[in-house]
Amino acid sequence: MTEIWHGLTKAIELIISLDPEVMQIAGRSLRISGTACLLASLICLPLGSLIHFHQFRGKRALTNIIQTLFSVPTVIVGLFVFVLFSRAGPLGVLGIIFTPTVMVIGQMILITPLLLGLTISALSGVSKEIVDTATSLGASGFQTIWLVLREARYAVLAAVIMGFGRAISEVGCALMIGGNFKGVTRVLTTAAYLETSKGELELAIALGIILLFLALIINIVLNRLQQR
Amino acid sequence: MSLIKVTGLNHRYGERAILENINLSVDRGEVFALIGPTGAGKTTLLRIIDLLEVPGAGEIYFDGKCIPRSGKQRLEIRRRMSFIHQKPQVFNLSVYDNVACGLRWRGEGKNKTAEKVDHILEMVGLKGYENRNARTLSGGEAQRVALARSLVLEPEVLLLDEPTANLDPISTAKIAQLISYVARQRNTTMIMATHDMSQGQQLADRIGVLLDGRLVQTGNVTDIFRSPQNEEVAHFVGMENIIESVIIANNEGIAMVNIGGNAIQAVSNYPVGKEVYACIRPEDITLALSSTQSSARNSFQAKVSRVTTLGPLSRVEINCGFRLVALVTKISAEELNLQEGREVYATFKATGVHIMEKEIRQ
Ligand SMILES: Nc1ncnc2c1ncn2[C@@H]1O[C@H](COP(=O)(O)OP(=O)(O)OP(=O)(O)O)[C@@H](O)[C@H]1O
Ligand SMILES: [Mg+2]
């Protein structure tokens, strides 16, 4: 018990003193997951709109698959990306395994189903009457999609934030393809994992607190958005 | 030449036929009212004309050109029209952006847009609301935003679906005024769906009666209200007295019809012996306590069987050997002390009786 208490006070010290190592790790986490989230959004928002606004065979099945993949285990994505990018893998020549780049790719793949699915359901929340009204007022197909995205902006933003939350809090994928190299690919979750296994509880707790704090912020923002 | 022409239009939802063989043409600058009971297919027809929906069968011509069933041309044509939907939906944006969006989509410049939006907001009485989120507006205000959003586009054709449903009488009058102002000022062609008969009467040059998916009768206001083509239309346009009768004499267009032993004079060309319906609008019947000398050719002694008050009017059911319903002002009903059992004289002109062929039912 005293150990935890000791760890907690030390952790708070580390945070308040803006300990360079802790800050560096947190910054890297934000950067990698932020980039992954941004890139995934750039793909998923248009793709989600396309899926939502078009009728095609197998649309139902596709949305079902997407929803199933919401909770795809991170280690499976990790394994997949590892096989793809490892030295012997089909994309091994790129030589990006164990770099932040591959972590971005991994997290993008991880959160794509979530972002895609939530974008589609956000757009479904916009009534058909709104779409008809826009069409009547002379909106072209793209103008209608843009308007509907704007109508659903809070729900879409909520989707993006959920995606970011999942990216920054996952550990399996980051560990498998990032390798947890100090100063390069070590992020909040992998660092906390490592420090715990080494018995360095204070650092692990400090990282954990930062993670919790980020989760808190994400939740506050989400709540605000959902109240709109 | 007609600006909008619809030929042989059929439409179904699933198995149900919603519109059947609609033929309609509306001239440039004409105000056409589509009246019909709920579920008749008015909205569906407007949606098809606005090219929101592709009809099951039939063609739509705009300005003489046949509109293809798909493709880019539909957007171009649609941009020359504007449709105010039955349940107006405002976008979750500011009032200004709501009104400006149609102009922006057409590539209108920023200054020009601002100018037009300002002007139209003034016109619909929403000046000062520019920055309000449109979702926070009251129902009536939202309706005005919807109207402004369409009018600002200065469309060649304005499609209005129950433009004043859900509004109080004053707002209704204001909107109706604005609509007729625009129709005159800009010579805008309008097609307006309504089940408010008086609105159709006030605003329209021509009326079409849509019953159960069929355009049963089109004509000017007097045609529709005075001379309905059949029983269905007569019922719908408020012809409360529809009485079975037979022509017993005809002297150069002045006919005598027999209603249960009473002879009524009417204007008709049907030959003697023809079974018909005699239709009399309730407001065309006057009630008095004594038999008056007037140009009215039909006068009957009658007994009041029931009086109901409808706002400023009283609906009086009387029996004069046959049953009639008369509509008089509440004040005159009070002056005449109309109540059950009261003896009155009912009078109506021969020209107030519309003789209609009795349909042979299968
Ligand atoms: N998308 C749809 N799918 C199935 N049925 C529909 C659809 N839209 C309309 N209908 C049906 O078509 C019929 C005509 O509907 P429409 O909305 O055109 O009537 P309306 O004349 O506008 O009625 P109201 O005066 O109540 O607005 C109705 O019975 C309605 O239930
Ligand atoms: Mg309707």
Side-chain angles (χ1 to χ4, degrees):
Chain A
M1 196 62 212
T2 50
E3 206 178 335
I4 295 177
W5 190 243
H6 175 72
L8 203 62
T9 43
K10 279 292 279 213
I12 290 172
E13 259 177 51
L14 279 175
I15 294 172
I16 292 175
S17 67
L18 300 177
D19 177 76
E21 193 185 354
V22 172
M23 290 305 125
Q24 210 183 33
I25 292 175
R28 187 176 304 120
S29 251
L30 285 173
R31 224 166 28 247
I32 291 176
S33 299
T35 311
C37 184
L38 185 77
L39 294 179
S41 302
L42 287 179
I43 296 171
C44 291
L45 300 196
L47 193 60
S49 313
L50 225 58
I51 294 172
H52 174 71
F53 282 106
H54 284 84
Q55 296 307 325
F56 52 89
R57 276 184 62 183
K59 180 171 174 171
R60 193 68 164 271
L62 181 65
T63 34
N64 276 336
I65 292 171
I66 291 172
Q67 272 168 14
T68 311
L69 291 178
F70 276 15
S71 50
V72 59
T74 55
V75 288
I76 289 188
V77 176
L79 181 64
F80 172 73
V81 176
F82 185 85
V83 169
L84 214 57
F85 288 95
S86 66
R87 301 270 178 253
L91 296 175
V93 283
L94 295 176
I96 54 170
I97 192 77
F98 305 134
T99 63
T101 312
V102 84
M103 289 172 77
V104 168
I105 294 173
Q107 293 189 348
M108 268 173 73
I109 294 174
L110 180 72
I111 64 174
T112 287
L114 187 70
L115 261 177
L116 210 50
L118 291 181
T119 300
I120 293 171
S121 72
L123 296 179
S124 316
V126 176
S127 69
K128 187 172 171 296
E129 281 94 17
I130 287 284
V131 178
D132 282 343
T133 302
T135 310
S136 281
L137 288 169
S140 68
F142 280 116
Q143 288 166 339
T144 307
I145 291 177
W146 182 238
L147 178 92
V148 171
L149 271 172
R150 267 177 54 167
E151 282 292 291
R153 58 192 176 274
Y154 299 120
V156 169
L157 203 54
V160 172
I161 290 172
M162 299 260 290
F164 178 73
R166 177 148 161 84
I168 202 163
S169 62
E170 71 85 25
V171 56
C173 185
L175 204 57
M176 288 167 82
I177 59 177
N180 201 17
F181 291 125
K182 186 163 189 213
V184 188
T185 58
R186 185 161 298 171
V187 290
L188 284 170
T189 50
T190 55
Y193 163 79
L194 181 74
E195 299 307 327
T196 310
S197 61
K198 285 199 309 200
E200 297 273 350
L201 282 192
E202 56 219 51
L203 192 52
I205 292 175
L207 298 168
I209 288 175
I210 293 180
L211 264 177
L212 266 177
F213 182 67
L214 287 175
L216 182 71
I217 290 178
I218 288 172
N219 252 302
I220 290 173
V221 174
L222 271 180
N223 266 324
R224 279 287 170 85
L225 289 177
Q226 267 146 20
Q227 275 161 19
R228 295 265 184 154
Chain B
M1 193 180 67
S2 53
L3 182 58
I4 290 180
K5 194 166 124 194
V6 171
T7 59
L9 190 103
N10 282 280
H11 195 65
R12 43 178 65 242
Y13 284 126
E15 285 296 290
R16 260 189 71 206
I18 305 294
L19 294 172
E20 287 174 74
N21 193 27
I22 304 283
N23 295 290
L24 172 69
S25 67
V26 178
D27 288 338
R28 194 179 280 279
E30 192 176 25
V31 177
F32 187 88
L34 205 56
I35 62 174
T38 177
K42 302 182 294 293
T43 300
T44 309
L45 181 53
L46 288 180
R47 287 176 61 85
I48 291 173
I49 293 174
D50 195 40
L51 313 183
L52 286 178
E53 220 134 333
V54 181
E59 305 293 346
I60 301 166
Y61 296 84
F62 190 95
D63 213 357
K65 279 196 288 286
C66 184
I67 297 170
R69 300 176 73 80
S70 63
K72 228 175 124 93
Q73 211 189 330
R74 291 173 72 86
L75 176 63
E76 281 163 32
I77 301 280
R78 197 184 296 115
R79 284 187 171 170
R80 296 167 65 179
M81 306 190 258
S82 191
F83 183 9
I84 299 178
H85 292 249
Q86 186 162 12
K87 284 172 266 167
Q89 299 281 335
V90 293
F91 305 132
N92 194 359
L93 304 170
S94 70
V95 168
Y96 183 92
D97 285 339
N98 263 274
V99 179
C101 61
L103 291 169
R104 289 183 186 145
W105 287 331
R106 283 162 177 75
E108 185 72 274
K110 211 168 176 169
N111 294 337
K112 197 90 192 175
T113 300
E115 203 177 290
K116 287 184 176 179
V117 173
D118 270 3
H119 177 69
I120 208 79
L121 284 178
E122 175 113 54
M123 241 167 97
V124 299
L126 285 176
K127 196 126 194 80
Y129 282 65
E130 287 85 352
N131 296 322
R132 276 273 292 279
N133 182 304
R135 283 277 160 86
T136 65
L137 297 175
S138 76
E141 288 164 345
Q143 195 127 7
R144 279 186 275 160
V145 168
L147 191 68
R149 198 168 54 179
S150 284
L151 291 181
V152 78
L153 301 171
E154 302 179 15
E156 284 172 64
V157 177
L158 193 57
L159 304 169
L160 299 140
D161 198 355
E162 308 276 0
T164 58
N166 326 314
L167 290 185
D168 62 81
I170 293 177
S171 313
T172 300
K174 273 193 194 151
I175 299 258
Q177 227 170 26
L178 193 62
I179 291 170
S180 68
Y181 172 79
V182 170
R184 309 269 169 277
Q185 274 277 306
R186 296 193 189 145
N187 199 31
T188 308
T189 310
M190 295 194 190
I191 304 179
M192 175 170 56
T194 178
H195 43 230
D196 180 349
M197 229 79 60
S198 67
Q199 195 163 72
Q201 234 167 336
Q202 275 169 33
L203 299 175
D205 300 317
R206 214 151 52 91
I207 290 180
V209 184
L210 193 67
L211 295 176
D212 205 13
R214 287 165 302 122
L215 198 56
V216 182
Q217 187 175 0
T218 48
N220 64 33
V221 177
T222 332
D223 281 349
I224 302 284
F225 286 87
R226 300 269 154 212
S227 319
Q229 219 161 59
N230 63 26
E231 210 185 328
E232 259 181 309
V233 179
H235 270 298
F236 183 69
V237 300
M239 196 63 105
E240 280 208 65
N241 303 295
I242 304 174
I243 311 157
E244 283 187 41
S245 51
V246 183
I247 309 266
I248 48 175
N250 197 332
N251 186 6
E252 289 179 359
I254 305 294
M256 290 298 261
V257 296
N258 174 3
I259 300 180
N262 300 280
I264 293 184
Q265 262 189 339
V267 180
S268 168
N269 286 319
Y270 285 119
V272 172
K274 180 90 180 163
E275 289 190 32
V276 293
Y277 283 113
C279 306
I280 309 158
R281 294 197 70 85
E283 61 270 28
D284 288 350
I285 298 173
T286 51
L287 299 179
L289 292 181
S290 57
S291 176
T292 46
Q293 294 299 322
S294 75
S295 66
R297 311 241 192 158
N298 300 295
S299 193
F300 295 94
Q301 194 174 14
K303 210 173 216 158
V304 174
S305 49
R306 195 163 163 207
V307 182
T308 25
T309 307
L310 313 160
L313 297 176
S314 286
R315 183 175 179 277
V316 187
E317 286 176 41
I318 55 175
N319 189 343
C320 46
F322 52 96
R323 186 177 160 279
L324 277 183
V325 175
L327 215 51
V328 298
T329 62
K330 188 162 167 263
I331 294 171
S332 66
E334 276 162 9
E335 274 171 10
L336 298 175
N337 191 21
L338 294 182
Q339 49 183 282
E340 207 181 314
R342 181 95 168 149
E343 297 266 347
V344 290
Y345 285 89
T347 309
F348 48 92
K349 294 182 184 172
T351 51
V353 185
H354 169 61
I355 299 295
M356 186 168 81
E357 189 171 5
K358 199 162 160 181
E359 271 177 22
I360 295 117
R361 293 183 191 276
Q362 283 93 3

Short mmCIF file of all heavy atoms in Angstrom, two decimals, chain B residues 13 16 18 37-44 86 162 195, ligand 1:
data_model
loop_
_atom_site.label_atom_id
_atom_site.label_comp_id
_atom_site.label_asym_id
_atom_site.label_seq_id
_atom_site.Cartn_x
_atom_site.Cartn_y
_atom_site.Cartn_z
N TYR B 13 -45.78 3.17 -54.68
CA TYR B 13 -44.85 2.81 -53.61
C TYR B 13 -45.13 1.37 -53.28
O TYR B 13 -46.23 1.05 -52.82
CB TYR B 13 -45.06 3.68 -52.37
CG TYR B 13 -44.49 5.07 -52.52
CD1 TYR B 13 -45.27 6.19 -52.31
CD2 TYR B 13 -43.15 5.25 -52.85
CE1 TYR B 13 -44.74 7.47 -52.43
CE2 TYR B 13 -42.62 6.51 -52.98
CZ TYR B 13 -43.41 7.61 -52.77
OH TYR B 13 -42.89 8.86 -52.89
N ARG B 16 -48.67 -0.36 -53.90
CA ARG B 16 -49.77 0.61 -53.92
C ARG B 16 -49.58 1.66 -55.00
O ARG B 16 -48.54 2.32 -55.08
CB ARG B 16 -49.85 1.31 -52.56
CG ARG B 16 -50.94 0.74 -51.68
CD ARG B 16 -51.10 1.60 -50.45
NE ARG B 16 -51.70 2.88 -50.75
CZ ARG B 16 -51.51 3.98 -50.03
NH1 ARG B 16 -50.72 3.93 -48.98
NH2 ARG B 16 -52.12 5.09 -50.35
N ILE B 18 -50.00 5.18 -56.18
CA ILE B 18 -50.19 6.45 -55.47
C ILE B 18 -50.72 7.51 -56.44
O ILE B 18 -51.58 8.30 -56.09
CB ILE B 18 -48.86 6.94 -54.85
CG1 ILE B 18 -48.26 5.86 -53.94
CG2 ILE B 18 -49.06 8.23 -54.09
CD1 ILE B 18 -49.06 5.54 -52.71
N PRO B 37 -57.76 15.66 -50.43
CA PRO B 37 -57.71 15.25 -49.03
C PRO B 37 -56.35 14.65 -48.67
O PRO B 37 -55.53 14.40 -49.55
CB PRO B 37 -58.81 14.19 -48.92
CG PRO B 37 -59.01 13.69 -50.31
CD PRO B 37 -58.66 14.82 -51.22
N THR B 38 -56.14 14.42 -47.41
CA THR B 38 -54.87 13.87 -46.96
C THR B 38 -54.64 12.48 -47.56
O THR B 38 -55.58 11.70 -47.68
CB THR B 38 -54.80 13.87 -45.42
OG1 THR B 38 -53.58 13.27 -45.05
CG2 THR B 38 -55.95 13.10 -44.81
N GLY B 39 -53.43 12.27 -48.00
CA GLY B 39 -53.09 10.97 -48.60
C GLY B 39 -53.44 10.86 -50.07
O GLY B 39 -53.25 9.80 -50.67
N ALA B 40 -53.92 11.94 -50.67
CA ALA B 40 -54.33 11.87 -52.08
C ALA B 40 -53.14 11.75 -53.02
O ALA B 40 -53.27 11.26 -54.14
CB ALA B 40 -55.14 13.11 -52.44
N GLY B 41 -51.97 12.20 -52.57
CA GLY B 41 -50.78 12.10 -53.42
C GLY B 41 -50.23 13.46 -53.83
O GLY B 41 -49.39 13.55 -54.73
N LYS B 42 -50.66 14.52 -53.17
CA LYS B 42 -50.21 15.87 -53.52
C LYS B 42 -48.71 16.01 -53.36
O LYS B 42 -48.00 16.47 -54.27
CB LYS B 42 -50.91 16.92 -52.63
CG LYS B 42 -52.42 16.88 -52.71
CD LYS B 42 -53.05 17.97 -51.85
CE LYS B 42 -52.83 17.78 -50.35
NZ LYS B 42 -53.50 16.60 -49.79
N THR B 43 -48.22 15.62 -52.19
CA THR B 43 -46.79 15.74 -51.93
C THR B 43 -45.99 14.91 -52.92
O THR B 43 -44.98 15.35 -53.46
CB THR B 43 -46.48 15.30 -50.48
OG1 THR B 43 -47.20 16.15 -49.59
CG2 THR B 43 -45.00 15.39 -50.19
N THR B 44 -46.46 13.70 -53.17
CA THR B 44 -45.77 12.82 -54.10
C THR B 44 -45.66 13.47 -55.48
O THR B 44 -44.60 13.46 -56.11
CB THR B 44 -46.51 11.48 -54.20
OG1 THR B 44 -46.73 10.99 -52.89
CG2 THR B 44 -45.72 10.47 -55.01
N GLN B 86 -43.52 20.36 -47.04
CA GLN B 86 -44.65 20.40 -46.11
C GLN B 86 -44.19 20.58 -44.67
O GLN B 86 -44.74 21.39 -43.94
CB GLN B 86 -45.43 19.08 -46.25
CG GLN B 86 -46.71 19.03 -45.45
CD GLN B 86 -47.63 17.94 -45.96
OE1 GLN B 86 -47.23 17.08 -46.74
NE2 GLN B 86 -48.86 17.95 -45.52
N GLU B 162 -48.41 22.81 -48.77
CA GLU B 162 -49.10 23.28 -47.56
C GLU B 162 -48.31 24.40 -46.90
O GLU B 162 -47.85 24.24 -45.77
CB GLU B 162 -49.25 22.12 -46.55
CG GLU B 162 -49.89 20.88 -47.11
CD GLU B 162 -51.41 20.95 -47.10
OE1 GLU B 162 -51.96 21.97 -46.65
OE2 GLU B 162 -52.03 19.99 -47.56
N HIS B 195 -54.90 21.64 -48.53
CA HIS B 195 -56.27 21.18 -48.35
C HIS B 195 -57.11 22.29 -47.75
O HIS B 195 -58.25 22.09 -47.38
CB HIS B 195 -56.39 19.85 -47.58
CG HIS B 195 -55.53 19.73 -46.39
ND1 HIS B 195 -54.74 18.64 -46.17
CD2 HIS B 195 -55.32 20.55 -45.37
CE1 HIS B 195 -54.09 18.81 -45.04
NE2 HIS B 195 -54.42 19.95 -44.53
N1 LIG C 1 -41.96 6.94 -49.25
C1 LIG C 1 -43.18 6.37 -49.20
N2 LIG C 1 -43.31 5.03 -49.07
C2 LIG C 1 -44.52 4.44 -49.02
N3 LIG C 1 -45.68 5.12 -49.10
C3 LIG C 1 -45.63 6.45 -49.24
C4 LIG C 1 -44.39 7.15 -49.29
N4 LIG C 1 -44.64 8.46 -49.42
C5 LIG C 1 -45.98 8.57 -49.45
N5 LIG C 1 -46.58 7.38 -49.34
C6 LIG C 1 -48.02 7.12 -49.37
O1 LIG C 1 -48.55 7.71 -50.54
C7 LIG C 1 -49.81 8.30 -50.29
C8 LIG C 1 -49.79 9.73 -50.78
O2 LIG C 1 -48.93 10.46 -49.96
P1 LIG C 1 -48.72 12.01 -50.10
O3 LIG C 1 -47.74 12.41 -49.07
O4 LIG C 1 -48.39 12.33 -51.50
O5 LIG C 1 -50.17 12.56 -49.73
P2 LIG C 1 -50.66 14.06 -49.59
O6 LIG C 1 -51.75 14.27 -50.56
O7 LIG C 1 -49.51 14.98 -49.65
O8 LIG C 1 -51.28 14.05 -48.12
P3 LIG C 1 -51.27 15.21 -47.01
O9 LIG C 1 -52.34 16.17 -47.36
O10 LIG C 1 -51.58 14.47 -45.75
O11 LIG C 1 -49.91 15.80 -46.99
C9 LIG C 1 -50.05 8.15 -48.81
O12 LIG C 1 -50.96 7.11 -48.61
C10 LIG C 1 -48.73 7.82 -48.23
O13 LIG C 1 -48.86 6.96 -47.12
#
